[in-house]
Amino acid sequence: MPTLHWIGKEKVVNHHRDVPFRVLEHEYRFTTGKKTEAESSGNKIIHGDNLEALKSLLPEYEGKIKCIYIDPPYNTGNEGWVYNDNVNHPKIKKWLGDVVGKEGDDLSRHDKWLCMMYPRLQLLNRLLADDGVIFISIDDNEQANLKLVCDEIFGRKNFITTFTWRTDGNFDNQAKIKVNHEYILCIAKRVDFFSHPEIIDPNIGTSSKLFKKEIRNTVVKNGFKNPIGEIVLNPGFPADFEEGEIEARNDQWPHYSEKAVVANWELTNEVTIKSGWSSKALLENFNTNGFNKILDNKGQETTFKIIPSGAIEIIKKRGMPSHVISSLQNLGSTQNMSNELKGMDIAFSYPKPNSLLEYLLQIVNTKNSIILDSFAGSGTTAHAVLNLNKQDGGNRKFILVEMEDYADSITAERVKRVMQGYGEGNKAVEGTGGSFDYYTLGKPLFTGENQEYLNEEVALEKIRQYIWYSETRSTFQSPAKGEDNEYLLGTKDRTAYYFVYDKGSLTTLDYDLLSTIKTKAEQYIIYADNCLLPKEFMSRKNIIFKKIPRDISRF
């Protein structure tokens, strides 16, 4: 498989592992309903660098995000985006803090963009669920590079398509070639888990057969792609007429080797017919398995019937319609979205339209899922989530990450107004209701030049969450009080985990500590500052000691 190489790649391929883990600090909760302070809304807006924020989400959300949408810098040369990742290497270090702008023929601008994107895509891949999908907006400046990088990180086989989005707007101004499209890469975590979308392209007319609950077509199809083959129809094969006969014939497709007799809506004798076929495997499956309904590759109930002409028709009963095409149009524009934001007293350049995001989210069947946007901008993704929940009663949750200072004044403010309602008179828009929690990036869990010390300023519960996740790759739930001693983290796969930690003093794993353990398990993993137990005793009792902070995993 072709791979892409650029200046600095070897230093950022594993950079996501070196990014400091920071805890999320809860700043406030906004709600339009009645919720107690202890309850979580499930919706998050995070202000902070998205590389660090994505890492902070791993303990709670790794493998749980059903849909990711990101709209990163397009690297047009006009954006002035900042490359400020802490990659501690001379080759990268000289770029830190530099504003990336036009550089003529100097390709380092593209190298920097790839260095910025690569570790973020690595973390997004870890957060994505097995049945999840990521959408990435981009234009011609980096589309080719992005595709190769995504093939490397997500796997080329998981690539679904590159949507072209007709951006609409003013096209009558003169230009050599007017560019009126952008791209949206669509990639699955595991393409075999990607189900058929329960949606039809909005440009399809209402008279289309796609909206019919039942579709009938003949399976008699002759051509070079449909070689002629015989099928023996068994007695009992359904017919579309109550009674009658079809004479043996070889001058009309399908050929009948003998007379077919139909009575009481079914074939009464065995008949060999010959033709080219579409859906031959489905027909044979139906014919040999008692004429029961079968499912096609879209999950549609499928049956077959002989019609009076002697042809065989396939009959498919549709559940939810499914028809998505790769050319997206009439899904709003940035100009219209900017005007709508003005109705909220919010100014923002080139926001993606709600209608585009709503359509993309429905492609993934996200009705009760978590949606992540780590380049949140003005907050269109949250707006789309709230709109869809209002339309279909869904329970989607959003997580937005925005590093710019307007995370509260624009991103969060827009979400508040969508929930409460906005506009006046005939332009008034009813609120969706809902709530969200606003976070900032807090202290790093580890300190020191090489992250060799545990940060005592971090709350104990945050440290316990980290230890549990580093051991089990699952979300931490604090044990009930009285279940065991205060150091128990929990049990998983017949292993009990203990974190014996005190900010004010050194802790020791000894016989006295063991006497306080109540949980029965096949193995015990115990963190402490020191251990005084004999190795032979620990081996016999299946106890593994891990020294704080040396043996705490970094991920």
Side-chain angles (χ1 to χ4, degrees), residues 464-492:
R464 285 165 59 85
Q465 291 171 8
Y466 181 97
I467 300 296
W468 175 259
Y469 170 77
S470 69
E471 288 284 355
T472 68
R473 288 299 189 268
S474 60
T475 303
F476 178 71
Q477 292 184 335
S478 187
K481 290 184 178 180
E483 184 177 330
D484 201 329
N485 67 29
E486 62 184 297
Y487 304 118
L488 175 67
L489 296 175
T491 59
K492 192 174 191 300

Side-chain angles (χ1 to χ4, degrees), residues 198-470:
E198 297 177 354
I199 188 173
I200 285 183
D201 183 279
N203 298 291
I204 301 297
T206 55
S207 61
S208 170
K209 69 178 183 179
L210 291 166
F211 293 100
K212 295 180 179 179
K213 293 296 185 182
E214 180 179 289
I215 299 296
R216 298 175 69 121
N217 289 298
T218 179
V219 294
V220 177
K221 190 171 184 179
N222 291 285
F224 68 95
K225 292 183 179 180
N226 305 92
I228 293 173
E230 290 186 347
I231 295 178
V232 178
L233 299 184
N234 295 323
F237 194 96
D240 201 29
F241 52 102
E242 184 174 6
E243 60 181 43
E245 296 179 352
I246 300 168
E247 297 294 333
R249 68 191 190 198
N250 58 15
D251 60 346
Q252 183 180 349
W253 298 109
H255 295 175
Y256 277 74
S257 59
E258 50 270 319
K259 181 190 293 186
V261 180
V262 171
N264 295 320
W265 307 96
E266 63 183 37
L267 186 65
T268 62
N269 60 311
E270 183 179 286
V271 177
T272 301
I273 58 177
K274 182 189 296 184
S275 180
W277 308 99
S278 66
S279 307
K280 184 180 180 184
L282 284 174
L283 174 57
E284 290 176 328
N285 186 8
F286 176 77
N287 184 52
T288 57
N289 286 284
F291 318 116
N292 293 311
K293 296 174 183 177
I294 56 176
L295 298 179
D296 68 0
N297 60 2
K298 295 181 180 180
Q300 298 174 125
E301 288 187 357
T302 303
T303 58
F304 295 84
K305 288 184 178 181
I306 304 171
I307 63 175
S309 68
I312 309 295
E313 283 194 341
I314 185 171
I315 304 163
K316 296 189 177 187
K317 291 188 179 296
R318 286 201 172 104
M320 291 295 294
S322 174
H323 185 73
V324 172
I325 60 177
S326 61
S327 298
L328 306 178
Q329 58 182 335
N330 299 319
L331 288 170
S333 67
T334 58
Q335 293 93 327
N336 290 340
M337 194 69 249
S338 291
N339 290 334
E340 185 171 345
L341 291 183
K342 287 179 183 177
M344 304 182 195
D345 294 323
I346 291 174
F348 196 86
S349 300
Y350 307 113
K352 290 295 187 293
N354 294 335
S355 48
L356 175 65
L357 268 295
E358 289 170 23
Y359 183 71
L360 294 177
L361 296 183
Q362 291 178 90
I363 290 174
V364 197
N365 305 331
T366 58
K367 193 170 182 179
N368 295 287
S369 304
I370 304 169
I371 292 93
L372 168 65
D373 183 347
S374 55
F375 291 86
S378 69
T380 295
T381 297
H383 197 159
V385 165
L386 294 168
N387 280 352
L388 286 175
N389 284 344
K390 185 177 179 180
Q391 291 168 23
D392 61 20
N395 190 36
R396 301 168 185 85
K397 302 296 182 183
F398 61 80
I399 302 173
L400 305 185
V401 182
E402 179 50 55
M403 69 177 292
E404 299 294 344
D405 291 339
Y406 57 68
D408 193 17
S409 61
I410 291 181
T411 313
E413 189 61 32
R414 175 182 178 179
V415 177
K416 293 175 185 177
R417 296 180 190 188
V418 171
M419 291 178 172
Q420 292 177 311
Y422 58 93
E424 297 179 353
N426 59 4
K427 293 185 178 180
V429 178
E430 183 183 17
T432 63
S435 59
F436 68 86
D437 291 273
Y438 188 87
Y439 297 84
T440 55
L441 287 175
K443 301 286 185 179
L445 195 72
F446 300 98
T447 61
E449 185 175 350
N450 298 308
Q451 300 187 47
E452 66 268 35
Y453 305 116
L454 194 59
N455 191 344
E456 294 185 354
E457 295 183 36
V458 174
L460 176 59
E461 193 69 3
K462 297 288 187 181
I463 301 175
R464 285 165 59 85
Q465 291 171 8
Y466 181 97
I467 300 296
W468 175 259
Y469 170 77
S470 69

Side-chain angles (χ1 to χ4, degrees), residues 23-36:
V23 298
L24 293 177
E25 294 291 348
H26 188 261
E27 299 295 332
Y28 68 85
R29 172 171 296 123
F30 174 84
T31 180
T32 56
K34 295 181 179 179
K35 292 177 72 70
T36 66

Side-chain angles (χ1 to χ4, degrees), residues 26-164:
H26 188 261
E27 299 295 332
Y28 68 85
R29 172 171 296 123
F30 174 84
T31 180
T32 56
K34 295 181 179 179
K35 292 177 72 70
T36 66
E37 190 61 27
E39 292 177 320
S40 173
S41 67
N43 296 314
K44 289 181 170 68
I45 299 178
I46 303 168
H47 179 208
D49 184 286
N50 57 12
L51 187 58
E52 294 179 331
L54 289 173
K55 192 157 189 175
S56 72
L57 292 172
L58 287 174
E60 186 175 358
Y61 293 103
E62 181 169 13
K64 295 181 180 179
I65 305 296
K66 180 67 175 285
C67 181
I68 296 171
Y69 171 78
I70 59 172
D71 186 14
Y74 284 8
N75 205 13
T76 62
N78 296 315
E79 296 162 299
W81 58 274
V82 178
Y83 184 95
N84 62 352
D85 292 344
N86 186 24
V87 184
N88 191 22
H89 187 273
K91 190 179 288 185
I92 307 297
K93 207 168 184 179
K94 66 186 179 71
W95 289 340
L96 300 183
D98 288 347
V99 174
V100 182
K102 286 185 175 178
E103 298 177 34
D105 294 330
D106 182 359
L107 296 181
S108 66
R109 176 164 59 87
H110 301 282
D111 296 326
K112 293 173 186 179
W113 187 88
L114 288 164
C115 286
M116 182 272 293
M117 288 296 295
Y118 199 96
R120 288 162 172 80
L121 291 170
Q122 289 272 41
L123 291 173
L124 289 168
N125 185 37
R126 289 182 61 177
L127 288 163
L128 199 58
D130 282 346
D131 61 347
V133 171
I134 180 170
F135 297 99
I136 309 174
S137 283
I138 202 69
D139 72 0
D140 284 310
N141 285 281
E142 298 292 355
Q143 185 274 335
N145 291 334
L146 179 62
K147 173 63 167 62
L148 287 174
V149 167
C150 287
D151 284 348
E152 185 173 327
I153 293 174
F154 294 93
R156 188 175 183 181
K157 67 178 181 180
N158 294 314
F159 174 74
I160 298 173
T161 192
T162 297
F163 289 103
T164 57

